[in-house]
Amino acid sequence: MTMKKLIGLGCLAAALLTGESDLFAQGKPVYTAPIGLQAYTFRGSWGKGIEATLDTIKSLGVTEMEGGPIAGMTTEELRKQLDKRGIKMKSIGADYKKLSESAAQTIKDAKILGATYVMVPWIPHEKGNFNLETAKKAVADFNKAGKELKEAGISLTYHNHGYEFVPYEDGTLFDYIVKNTNPEYVNFEMDVLWTAFPGQDPAKLLLKYPTRWKLMHLKDLKKGVKGDLSGGTPTTNDVALGTGQIDIAATLKAAKKVGIKHYFIEDESPSYLKQIPVTIAYIKSIKE
């Protein structure tokens, strides 16, 4: 099936999901940001051809990405290929351990790719035991690395993954991390699925810390799936936005209110090529 047909089917599916009256309702669209994509979505494709994968990404209407260097191509060449297709790498990922040891390589990669954000997606911890000691160490490491990055003109964000919502005092360990990191050096990227999966309300959490959220991973959780604090779920539980159990409309309205800078679709499902057009059509259909 051609990409044009996929996108057409995506629009049709979104119309059916939201109802024609919603899709063509009067009012301003909530989502007016560029379409962004997390490179991890295409993790099974990069090894088969980087340029061909970038062509597919461009055909979806993507103009912003979060990712980083890709095996099989120099970072300098990757930048050229992105520029050729009008795609900007706004954010790159960084390994917690490597970044805590030295920010030098991350800064170099970000500069080459033109990224102004660095995102850490995971805090190493014993499975099922994310505790205060680990959170305290993360706070110290983030404040240190964030200072180094800021001095280089780059912003550090931590991407929540669900396990941080362990109860602590009158809140959670995620609250502890937010309150003890220096906002001058450390801010956050909300992963919508990994906020909802442990039982949090994404829209409410955005509004709770309106100045600390800078980036967002757009993803939805299959209806009927019960979450927990594990930070893990089968990839088949990733569904197109608007077809799952998360209130995406409320989340995007809150995200706009707090001024999220960049949004990245991250679809870990094996059906990502079919789901991404549905996701794009859905978020564009949401009205004020």
Side-chain angles (χ1 to χ4, degrees):
M1 187 178 287
T2 65
M3 189 55 60
K4 285 184 178 179
K5 285 183 179 178
L6 278 173
I7 293 170
L9 286 172
C11 293
L12 177 61
L16 293 171
L17 287 166
T18 60
E20 187 179 354
S21 60
D22 287 339
L23 192 61
F24 299 104
Q26 296 297 315
K28 296 180 181 178
V30 171
Y31 190 90
T32 55
I35 299 298
L37 180 85
Q38 209 326 310
Y40 188 71
T41 297
F42 282 80
R43 63 195 178 283
S45 303
W46 297 113
K48 299 172 185 176
I50 295 171
E51 290 187 49
T53 301
L54 288 173
D55 286 339
T56 298
I57 290 169
K58 181 185 177 183
S59 75
L60 290 165
V62 172
T63 57
E64 293 189 349
M65 282 183 66
E66 178 179 70
I70 299 173
M73 180 178 282
T74 65
T75 307
E76 290 81 2
E77 180 61 24
L78 175 59
R79 173 64 186 273
K80 289 179 184 177
Q81 294 299 330
L82 289 166
D83 288 348
K84 183 179 175 181
R85 291 164 178 82
I87 299 172
K88 295 180 179 180
M89 186 79 78
K90 292 291 186 178
S91 173
I92 66 170
D95 176 75
Y96 177 100
K97 188 173 185 296
K98 290 179 180 178
L99 187 65
S100 63
E101 290 170 354
S102 172
Q105 186 61 48
T106 299
I107 291 169
K108 182 181 178 182
D109 291 338
K111 293 287 187 182
I112 293 170
L113 292 169
T116 51
Y117 290 89
V118 162
M119 169 276 284
V120 175
W122 190 268
I123 298 171
H125 63 281
E126 181 186 347
K127 189 175 180 179
N129 185 31
F130 188 80
N131 54 37
L132 181 60
E133 183 181 352
T134 306
K136 283 183 176 180
K137 185 178 187 306
V139 164
D141 289 337
F142 286 156
N143 282 332
K144 178 178 176 292
K147 186 174 186 294
E148 291 180 62
L149 289 168
K150 186 182 179 183
E151 289 169 354
I154 300 163
S155 300
L156 175 64
T157 62
Y158 171 61
H159 162 303
N160 67 287
H161 222 107
Y163 50 76
E164 317 89 342
F165 295 102
V166 174
Y168 174 71
E169 293 186 344
D170 60 346
T172 68
L173 286 178
F174 180 78
D175 293 310
Y176 175 88
I177 293 170
V178 175
K179 293 171 183 176
N180 288 278
T181 44
N182 186 336
E184 290 293 312
Y185 305 140
V186 184
N187 284 292
F188 298 86
E189 174 177 64
M190 176 178 283
D191 186 297
V192 178
L193 185 149
W194 292 123
T195 302
F197 192 77
Q200 301 293 312
D201 182 321
K204 287 182 180 178
L205 194 61
L206 285 165
L207 297 173
K208 184 176 183 178
Y209 299 111
T211 64
R212 302 299 299 278
W213 300 103
K214 306 301 177 184
L215 312 174
M216 177 173 279
H217 276 188
L218 292 170
K219 53 208 298 191
D220 205 344
L221 180 64
K222 187 177 180 179
K223 289 179 179 178
V225 173
K226 187 176 181 181
D228 53 37
L229 294 167
S230 66
T233 192
T235 57
T236 49
N237 287 335
D238 269 39
V239 295
L241 267 67
T243 70
Q245 60 177 277
I246 301 173
D247 189 342
I248 299 298
T251 300
L252 286 176
K253 288 173 183 177
K256 191 170 188 177
K257 188 172 184 179
V258 304
I260 293 289
K261 303 296 183 185
H262 305 283
Y263 301 77
F264 306 106
I265 295 166
E266 184 181 41
D267 191 326
E268 298 185 36
S269 164
S271 304
Y272 63 91
L273 269 179
K274 291 181 180 179
Q275 293 187 172
I276 291 172
V278 178
T279 286
I280 293 172
Y282 177 71
I283 60 176
K284 286 182 174 180
S285 77
I286 300 169
K287 305 296 183 184
E288 297 270 7

